[in-house]
Amino acid sequence: MSDGHDARRDGRGRSGGPRRERSAGGDRRRGRERPPAPNKESLVGAEAELDLTDIAHGGRCVGRVEGQVVFVRHGIPGERVRAVVTKGREGDRFVFADAVEVLTPSEDRVEPRCPVAVPGGCGGCDFQHVTLPRQRHLKAQVVRTQLSRLAKIDRDLEVRPVPGDTDGLRWRTRVEFAVDEAGRAGLRPQRSHDVIPLADCPIATEGVVGTGVLDADWSGMRAVDVVAPSVGEPTLVPIPVEDDVVVEIDGVEAGEQCVVEHVDAAAWQGDFEVHARGFWQVHPGAAATFVDHVLGLLRPEPGERALDLYAGVGLFARAIVDAVGPDGAVLAIEGDERACVSLAALTPDVEQLEVRHGDVARELAPLVEGGDEVDLVVLDPPRTGAGADVVQALAALHPRAIAYVACDPAALARDIATAAGHGYELADVVAFDAFPMTHHVETIALLVPSA
């Protein structure tokens, strides 16, 4: 992947469940790579001067050498750089490279705050060398490009800041650090199993770094999670090299620990219990910001029926159930059993909220077959998106409004294109900079029945 700090956004809904395992800093989106074609000479280590013309999905800039596309990290569109190939062979449609020297710098180039946010360094931050306003401009450009390319929609949009960071730093409340053979915690370079020991991580909160995780000896561990929740003290979760080794902290098995998160949105407030290795938005201002925006888009009314899909611990479900009141109903569907148990335990007396553990597509099928209808839907799927089956099922339930919370603009665009084929159109789209210094961006779209 490109984000070297955490994997909680893959493989499931994104408000309370577990994540697909991976080592910090590695590529979490790709499966098994194709073997190289025979008789193609590797270009790794080759150098070239090139002009960077555009930004691509994933935080890399686009350049070309003799017609071959080069995706370049550590550059800015408009710069001329000397790049060194990090992956690719002769004849490939494209190769990957790092900008190791800037020949014509952009006026938006700044000195990275982290000494390892450089070529060959940590794979977590894509944009530490770019001013915050330009970072957000680049992210907006990526979202616009994906909507245009995959959904055939040309739409202007902005990437809004999220309150809670310090000039794009000190926002990450959850970090998975890798551990090297000497027991030192750190992060990985792009596409590497190496570990770079760290003295600090400038995008991690003071609470994360203040645990002393980067100074401790973690021998026998392959990774260590650090969680700095909004309520209570930070929690450390060591992950042993050997799967059959059990680590206990204060009498509780590591990974079974829970933390409390408080959401103080303008429109709704509440507390959530989240497993330490479960998912919660990593930016301290993200959960409240997204709740306010989703409620503003859906405008739930008393007595309405709603779905919260990939619900996690119920960030949106609990806010909507209060809005629809005792005469309304909310069905929350989530694939992680622990998150479902947590949500049900926090709302035992809320009869209008039903929590179902299961696959979203399978759980929707009987609703469609039974001719059910709903008024509102919010969905917060994994990075792969909801997919055609889920989108088709939602359209068959005839909601008046669908709020789609997406961490991947390409997956969002594909699902919007599918929705268009089933009678739903894009009415609103806004992006939020919930991951400053990285290429990641959270996008929230409103879909309504086509006129």
Side-chain angles (χ1 to χ4, degrees), residues 15-28:
S15 300
R19 59 245 159 96
R20 180 182 302 161
E21 286 295 337
R22 70 160 182 86
S23 300
D27 189 328
R28 68 186 175 191

Side-chain angles (χ1 to χ4, degrees), residues 264-269 288 291-293 295-296 319 322-323:
D264 189 11
W268 186 86
Q269 294 80 39
V291 164
D292 277 336
H293 193 73
L295 290 178
D322 285 351

Side-chain angles (χ1 to χ4, degrees), residues 85-99:
V85 175
T86 57
K87 180 184 177 182
R89 293 175 174 269
E90 286 187 351
D92 289 350
R93 285 197 306 117
F94 53 83
V95 300
F96 297 93
D98 282 347

